[in-house]
Amino acid sequence: METKDQKKHRKKNSGPKAEKKKKRHLQDLQLGDEEDARKRNPKAFAVQSAVRMARSFHRTQDLKTKKHHIPVVDRTPLEPPPIVVVVMGPPKVGKSTLIQCLIRNFTRQKLTEIRGPVTIVSGKKRRLTIIECGCDINMMIDLAKVADLVLMLIDASFGFEMETFEFLNICQVHGFPKIMGVLTHLDSFKHNKQLKKTKKRLKHRFWTEVYPGAKLFYLSGMVHGEYQNQEIHNLGRFITVMKFRPLTWQTSHPYVLADRMEDLTNPEDIRTNIKCDRKVSLYGYLRGAHLKNKSQIHMPGVGDFAVSDISFLPDPCALPEQQKKRCLNEKEKLVYAPLSGVGGVLYDKDAVYVDLGGSHGFQDEVGPTHELVQSLISTHSTIDAKMASSRVTLFSDSKPLGSEDIDNQGLLMPKEEKQMDLKTGRMRRKAIFGDEDESGDSDDEENDEISEDDELENGSSDEEAEEEENAEMTDQYMAGKGVKRRKLEELEEDSEMDLPAFADSDDDLERSSAEEGEAEEADESSEEEDCTAGEGGISGSKAVGEGSKAGLSPANRQSDRVNLEKSLLMKKAALPTSDSGHCTAEEAFASEDESEESSSLGAEEEDSENEEAVRKKLSKPSQVSSGQKLGPRNLIDETSDIEDLLKEEEDYKEENNDSKETSGALKWKEDLSRKAAEAFLRQQQAAPNLRKLIYGTVAEDNEEEDGDTREELGGLFRVNQPDRECKHKADSLDCSRFLVEAPHDWDLEEVMNSIRDCFVTGKWEDDKDAAKVLAEDEELYGDFEDLETGDVHKGKSDSDTQNEEVEKEVKEEIDPNEEESAKKKHLDKKRKLKEMFDAEYDEGESTYFDDLKGEMQKQAQLNRAEFEDQDDEARVQYEGFRPGMYVRVEIENVPCEFVQNFDPHYPIILGGLGNSEGNVGYVQMRLKKHRWYKKILKSRDPIIFSVGWRRFQTIPLYYIEDHNGRQRLLKYTPQHMHCGAAFWGPITPQGTGFLAIQSVSGIMPDFRIAATGVVLDLDKSIKIVKKLKLTGFPYKIFKNTSFIKGMFNSALEVAKFEGAVIRTVSGIRGQIKKALRAPEGAFRASFEDKLLMSDIVFMQTWYPVSIPAFYNPVTSLLKAVGEKDTWSGMRTTGQLRLAHGVRLKANKDSLYKPILRQKKHFNSLHIPKALQKALPFKNKPKTQAKAGKVPKDRRRPAVIREPHERKILALLDALSTVHSQKMKKAKEQQHLHNKEHFRAKQKEEEEKLKRQKDLRKKLFRIQGQKERRNQKSSLKGAEGQLQ
Amino acid sequence: MATQANSLSYAGCNFLRQRLVLSTLSGRPVKIRKIRARDDNPGLRDFEASFIRLLDKITNGSRIEINQTGTTLYYQPGLLYGGSVEHDCSVLRGIGYYLESLLCLAPFMKHPLKIVLRGVTNDQVDPSVDVLKATALPLLKQFGIDGESFELKIVRRGMPPGGGGEVVFSCPVRKVLKPIQLTDPGKIKRIRGMAYSVRVSPQMANRIVDSARSILNKFIPDIYIYTDHMKGVNSGKSPGFGLSLVAETTSGTFLSAELASNPQGQGAAVLPEDLGRNCAWLLLEEIYRGGCVDSTNQSLALLLMTLGQQDVSKVLLGPLSPYTIEFLRHLKSFFQIMFKIETKPCGEELKGGDKVLMTCVGIGFSNLSKTLK
């Protein structure tokens, strides 16, 4: 039943399936199709022309090669720093809104106010630092240098604005980060078509600027003041998956985009001098390259500094732990923006900061309650001094009374004193000692408290300091007894801080040797710590004082104090032991084998290092503590057990004591270098800790300090200590040869045997021994089948193994090891075979490019692997701080305006400088005026350059290079051409791009970027010349020789130019011959032709120009808040003239005047008579004698008519007038008639045409009808036929 | 800017060359005080003055200030210039004294350096030009400094005290250096040497060769010691003779030793046989120390590693010489570079003394003098 209902299968006649079938059918018929044309018609595809073939091959290869970039070593860190996303756009385009939306999208948090960079975790492996960029060109330049990705906001309703193009150009010059356009305000379009058109137009313009196909994002509209969620989400997705190409400048320089700033200056210093230089710490993620301690940095907008200290902190916005899940949970979606007040609790080296919501440390809030406190804090002199200086007038005409007056006449005070105001009352109390004291005390106390409160943040107060000093003394006394006080809580941190390689190495030893040499330990440690380059010259006692005075750094002090308060703790238990075994072994060795003397020495050395390590753990070694510790130690040192030490050692100590106050310098210095020599004697026996030997234990080095800190006695004399520093060391022979100190006896057999294996004749390692390798190969490749003969060769070893296997079977697998080894062998064999196969087929043609790439990859792997196993503290020492770390950078001597005028909206960038990049010199660059800049640039006009990290104003000279390499000065830049520019400024590596702007202040109407280019050359001298023409005049002319004067001033000058080429204006060339005696500076010259007296002779010379050494960094960040975009440097002469209304005094000769040409008066041509005669007639001057006056008789007489005649004439005149009038009329009539006739004719013609047209129309209609009829009839006929 | 705080300060004349060379490369000014301040003859010596003059010749814009007594030197480096230079070295020290520093600086000039040095080619104090030619040049080649113009030619030999030798050193310019991984010294495959004699009997050289061979033949048969007897103008102004030996390994490492006779009129006369034997022993001593770099060139290798790209470089050295140790400290203060130092104790195999594996990350130095075209 059902089968009947089913439809019959119908073949498909169209669609893909049918096509396929058709094709198959055709193939079966061997007809093929178009795709197989090559097969179908091989002749057509044969090589027609070998040349063309070669050419096309060449072309494909070229294209392939063009795609290659030079392979570079991949230096990206494993945990990269957050990507810097710069949100840029003109005002009111929606930047802040976009940032807020993005943050909300990623973190589900809403930031009310955004100041400075905001770091967020955007994915499992990516973090973003989002920062807003306003329209200040300073900010634009700075941010373009650090940006990884730029979100370029464009107001679609308005179109592109100048800022957008400026920023694009800035980006282009400084490396071109990824740029993504975002169109906003798209909801303002009413018509869809217009919107589409605008989108398209903007997109194409954007593409021409960035690159064709650059991503442009559309944010269609706002919902409740925010962008649409879906769009923001998509944008976020785009950002998180974006890939970046390394930029040369960014990968070769370390930089930090600071997201937090703290002022570490001693509040006391600020109190006394509000304008004192500040010490600040800046925080941020390190990017780019490795940053080393003490290296040079540049802060754009502030200046150059040296990093005084750098440390890394735990990541405040860490990436989540690696887990196998798709997305982040809420806890991991971190946001960190300390400048905006987000980030919660911040940990620092010596403090914890808790954000109290909105109250920021940099803003002076002057509430009424704070006013008193503030005023008290801001007093600059003590109350005593104030009182002493204050005066009071009781009566209007009386002499003002000072405090001393009151003292003197205390009892004579009149009764009116009760009417005194509060102030005088105080005065009075002041006079009465006890009373005054009390009140003063209370005031002081109050003051103290306040200051304490105030300073609590920075971590110290005066009281604390005192207490601490005392404590310090006790502390070091205790330390002398070998007891270490440490803070329990700080333990972990501290042990992190020190260098694990040697910090803890000597514990055992210290404990063992503690009993034997307490005193020694004390003095030695002090010595060890403070040995410096040997800039001594101060007595020990002096040094103590100095030490206690020096370095009142509150931070250090506090940390010390903290240490003091700690409970006693055994150090050994606390510290992790990494390589202590090594050292103790060595130490033990030393103490056992060497004499007592040397052992004590060794112990001392170790102890001191131990001490150092501890101190370093507690805080950075502070000058204070070391100085204080010195005092008693020195005493002990002087009095006790000097005899224990070598004489040389003694000298050392004294030297060191002298230079105590310069502590903190490298501890290894002289002392250790001496030890180096000693240690090297021991080196053969025990493996020493070389690192300790070379670098010492303290990483601190401020050699700069020890230059001028010599103490002076009474300000006049210097204590000249006998400078007994190891003369033989400092002034010894400078030779690189490493002399053998204890030569071996090479006649002995065992000594000779010790180097046997260094020669090829010796024993080889297993993997390199030729015989063994051969045997192995034999084992692996031994069996093969000869295909020609069909023989099967079996490897020897293989058969062996087979035998073994047989045996094994017999043994029933007694030994599992053997089986394993066999397996291994089998695997080995397989691997080798695969390698062979790969070598033969896959890697047959490895190009140069591939090799290079492989090499780079290998290097990258090595870079990653080398320090991977070490912990960060040690790693940082070797590599420097690596990018991706969150670092805290301390900088000293920062101008106070930086702190006072701190504006978190402006980016603070710490750009690391390479070697010599901090120096200045002449920089030569290739420059081109920007095509959109309206003016041309003038040589010697100050202009602001942005090169490398810097923005600075300088005075460039423009030049062009002639074909012979001469650099010729240009007054102005060429309009549409490259030229050279040279200026005096900071040295920046060649190949760095730059841009120039005329001014960074205010708003300029047009495009602001004046020129762009690239640095070509750096030098300390420059060879730009300008043309100088010396002119002279001939005063005596012989045949080809002339005497010229006025070109030089003396015979000496002439002598200098003898043989030089000269020329006249008319083009006669000549040469200077010799100076003449008569007019000073005249000379004899010979020419190729005779000169005229009216000729001017000139000589073309080249005169070197000098570049003004003017380098003025743009310090825009130091300007007051709100005025940061008003920096103005040196003005150009033009601007100055305009400002002062000074008009340029024009050279009268240079003025343009109407050209008045006097009529040229030619003398008559005089032809001699003889010549005239000789001339043919036609050339003879035709001098016709002028017609003379017509004589009277020749003149015709006047005709006087008769009246009758006159009548006739009048009648004739009248007749002729009438006739002519008649004729005129007739002519007019004729004309009219003609016109009429023409018109009639035209009309006729028209009618005729019309008639014809109608006729034709009729005809055609009839014809058409006829035809239709015919057709109809024919159709009908056909149908009829059919039917 | 070149601020005063940027400058480094040292005392004493020792390691003067290191300091000045590193100062030139790092661009940091250096101040050296108390140069032989307590000496009867205070201040800079002739050879040091000559060295400073040489630095002045190859740089552009250097500022050198020396006080009246010559005990204080302030050096503000300029940019390395190069080009064709001639220099008369002081005869108090060998040409090696100057050449060692030039080897450090030459690859970073603006124009390729071609310098003619005149003075003492071989003496007892400094590494001779023969040794530098045989060891330092191959070392530089490892760093990618190579080319046709890279050579050191000994035109004339001069022995102390008269001098009169002449060498021509030319070196190409490089923008960046390659990182190196020299961790396998390889095995010594051949020993070459140069026995020279000037203004003495040519027989001396042969006698030296015989005695040196007698020692070295116990280890390896592939020994060839050239004899070089220079005559006439090429023989300098003083008589003398000496021997330099170089051992080459399978991996291209060169170890060297040398010995020269006492200068005329100083010390007792040296027998050529003794000299040959002692020199051979010195070579064995050097082989015992081992490593991938000769002990005289340790500092050069470390410097070039420091100046490499920001990549890891490794080198295996023998025990560090005091000069190298000081150099490492200087590297730290000038470039903030610390080396990872691992001692590799000698195991059972008979390969001499302990070795040191030095590892560092280059500072990413690029030649600032070279012009971009």
Side-chain angles (χ1 to χ4, degrees), chain A residues 784-905:
Chain A
F784 64 94
E785 190 180 347
D786 194 335
L787 290 172
E788 281 181 23
T789 56
D791 293 346
V792 176
H793 298 259
K794 282 271 177 190
K796 231 197 318 180
S797 54
D798 208 10
S799 60
D800 285 353
T801 48
Q802 276 183 353
N803 290 343
E804 275 171 31
E805 275 174 64
V806 174
E807 282 172 12
K808 239 186 272 166
E809 277 169 32
V810 175
K811 283 176 191 168
E812 287 182 308
E813 298 174 8
I814 295 164
D815 204 347
N817 277 345
E818 262 183 47
E819 192 195 5
E820 231 165 67
S821 69
K823 213 182 233 172
K824 207 176 160 193
K825 228 173 228 173
H826 184 68
L827 280 174
D828 253 14
K829 198 169 149 186
K830 259 192 155 176
R831 188 173 50 79
K832 278 221 167 179
L833 277 171
K834 187 167 170 20
E835 269 171 22
M836 266 172 68
F837 180 84
D838 284 350
E840 206 170 330
Y841 294 100
D842 291 353
E843 292 150 18
E845 38 175 353
S846 70
T847 57
Y848 171 72
F849 181 74
D850 291 334
D851 289 348
L852 208 61
K853 223 167 147 183
E855 220 169 87
M856 297 291 174
Q857 215 161 18
K858 232 160 89 188
Q859 183 69 46
Q861 247 164 16
L862 183 70
N863 290 352
R864 293 235 168 91
E866 184 56 37
F867 297 106
E868 211 171 37
D869 49 341
Q870 276 170 324
D871 63 341
D872 279 346
E873 280 78 10
R875 225 178 137 170
V876 153
Q877 297 241 322
Y878 296 128
E879 305 182 294
F881 292 81
R882 65 179 178 282
M885 278 178 157
Y886 191 76
V887 292
R888 169 189 194 270
V889 182
E890 264 178 43
I891 300 169
E892 282 176 77
N893 297 327
V894 179
C896 63
E897 288 87 356
F898 175 67
V899 177
Q900 281 169 354
N901 301 334
F902 182 76
D903 183 358
H905 294 286

Side-chain angles (χ1 to χ4, degrees), chain B residues 215-333:
Chain B
I215 302 281
L216 298 174
N217 259 335
K218 293 173 198 162
F219 293 96
I220 194 161
D222 188 0
I223 303 168
Y224 197 92
I225 301 172
Y226 302 90
T227 53
D228 180 23
H229 182 73
M230 288 211 168
K231 286 181 203 162
V233 179
N234 292 341
S235 61
K237 291 171 184 161
S238 302
F241 55 88
L243 172 65
S244 65
L245 293 169
V246 177
E248 187 188 346
T249 68
T250 48
S251 63
T253 302
F254 292 85
L255 302 172
S256 70
E258 63 169 327
L259 220 51
S261 64
N262 284 336
Q264 190 183 27
Q266 292 169 26
V270 182
L271 274 181
E273 284 83 10
D274 288 347
L275 190 135
R277 193 169 51 245
N278 286 336
C279 189
W281 280 342
L282 280 181
L283 182 69
L284 295 180
E285 208 60 72
E286 185 67 39
I287 291 167
Y288 179 81
R289 284 172 180 165
C292 292
V293 177
D294 196 16
S295 66
T296 46
N297 292 315
Q298 281 175 350
S299 57
L300 178 63
L302 295 177
L303 175 73
L304 296 180
M305 281 163 72
T306 305
L307 297 180
Q309 290 302 286
Q310 289 169 338
D311 290 320
V312 169
S313 285
K314 284 178 165 191
V315 68
L316 189 75
L317 299 178
L320 302 180
S321 69
Y323 187 81
T324 311
I325 288 176
E326 195 62 33
F327 192 75
L328 283 169
R329 290 170 189 163
H330 281 131
L331 275 182
K332 184 163 186 248
S333 50

Side-chain angles (χ1 to χ4, degrees), chain A residues 892-1029:
Chain A
E892 282 176 77
N893 297 327
V894 179
C896 63
E897 288 87 356
F898 175 67
V899 177
Q900 281 169 354
N901 301 334
F902 182 76
D903 183 358
H905 294 286
Y906 275 75
I908 302 163
I909 294 163
L910 309 177
L913 298 173
N915 284 293
S916 327
E917 280 177 36
N919 295 350
V920 285
Y922 291 108
V923 182
Q924 287 186 305
M925 38 192 23
R926 192 189 298 132
L927 173 138
K928 192 182 180 191
K929 185 191 81 77
H930 200 280
R931 64 189 193 280
W932 292 346
Y933 193 69
K934 291 265 168 74
K935 290 179 267 184
I936 53 171
L937 306 173
K938 191 181 176 196
S939 270
R940 284 182 209 282
D941 258 2
I943 198 166
I944 295 164
F945 279 108
S946 160
V947 193
W949 295 121
R950 300 164 197 272
R951 286 177 275 127
F952 56 87
Q953 194 180 36
T954 187
I955 296 179
L957 290 188
Y958 304 111
Y959 65 86
I960 199 152
E961 198 162 291
D962 289 346
H963 56 276
N964 56 0
R966 180 198 299 128
Q967 296 174 336
R968 193 154 50 80
L969 182 77
L970 292 177
K971 275 188 182 170
Y972 297 91
T973 54
Q975 199 111 57
H976 307 292
M977 213 172 76
H978 282 288
C979 71
F983 67 84
W984 167 263
I987 280 173
T988 321
Q990 299 91 341
T992 313
F994 75 90
L995 63 91
I997 36 178
Q998 203 102 61
S999 143
V1000 290
S1001 62
I1003 299 155
M1004 293 208 317
D1006 282 319
F1007 194 72
R1008 282 182 282 188
I1009 293 163
T1012 55
V1014 70
V1015 177
L1016 290 183
D1017 197 9
L1018 310 163
D1019 213 336
K1020 292 280 184 181
S1021 60
I1022 217 112
K1023 290 170 294 187
I1024 297 178
V1025 288
K1026 66 177 176 188
K1027 197 193 277 175
L1028 177 69
K1029 278 183 178 169

Side-chain angles (χ1 to χ4, degrees), chain A residues 105-106 141 193 294 338 412 440 596 602 711 966 1113:
Chain A
N105 174 51
F106 283 121
I141 289 172
K193 198 170 181 185
K294 307 284 172 210
L412 298 174
E596 197 187 272
E711 186 70 359
R966 180 198 299 128

Side-chain angles (χ1 to χ4, degrees), chain A residues 292 535 680 694 704 729-732 734 736 744 754 757-758 863 866 915 918-919 990 1017-1019, chain B residues 1 5 13-14 27 33 60 93 100 110 187-188 219 285 311-312 314 320 329 336 352 363 368 370:
Chain A
K292 301 212 166 58
E535 165 66 14
F680 257 85
I694 292 165
E704 296 86 8
K729 188 69 198 156
D731 284 343
S732 63
D734 179 14
S736 66
H744 295 83
S754 70
D757 285 350
C758 292
N863 290 352
E866 184 56 37
N915 284 293
N919 295 350
Q990 299 91 341
D1017 197 9
L1018 310 163
D1019 213 336
Chain B
M1 307 244 5
C13 70
N14 204 359
R33 296 166 298 108
N60 182 19
R93 299 293 294 260
E100 272 184 302
K110 189 183 276 297
K187 289 188 186 293
I188 292 162
F219 293 96
E285 208 60 72
D311 290 320
V312 169
K314 284 178 165 191
L320 302 180
R329 290 170 189 163
Q336 286 88 37
I363 55 164
L368 284 175
K370 198 164 178 256

Side-chain angles (χ1 to χ4, degrees), chain A residues 64-79:
Chain A
K64 215 188 272 175
T65 323
K66 241 185 208 172
K67 279 181 192 159
H68 288 167
H69 291 282
I70 300 173
V72 283
V73 180
D74 177 26
R75 299 200 182 91
T76 48
L78 287 174
E79 194 171 313

Side-chain angles (χ1 to χ4, degrees), chain A residues 327-387:
Chain A
C327 55
L328 305 174
N329 59 27
E330 288 301 313
K331 222 182 254 177
E332 289 160 351
K333 288 175 180 168
L334 292 172
V335 56
Y336 179 70
L339 288 176
S340 313
V342 182
V345 185
L346 304 174
Y347 294 93
D348 199 351
K349 204 168 65 179
D350 47 8
V352 177
Y353 296 87
V354 182
D355 186 52
L356 295 176
S359 69
H360 201 270
F362 305 115
Q363 292 165 327
D364 293 4
E365 345 154 314
V366 195
T369 48
H370 288 272
E371 216 153 17
L372 178 65
V373 179
Q374 288 287 338
S375 66
L376 283 167
I377 288 169
S378 60
T379 49
H380 283 251
S381 49
T382 58
I383 203 142
D384 287 354
K386 264 190 184 171
M387 284 176 176

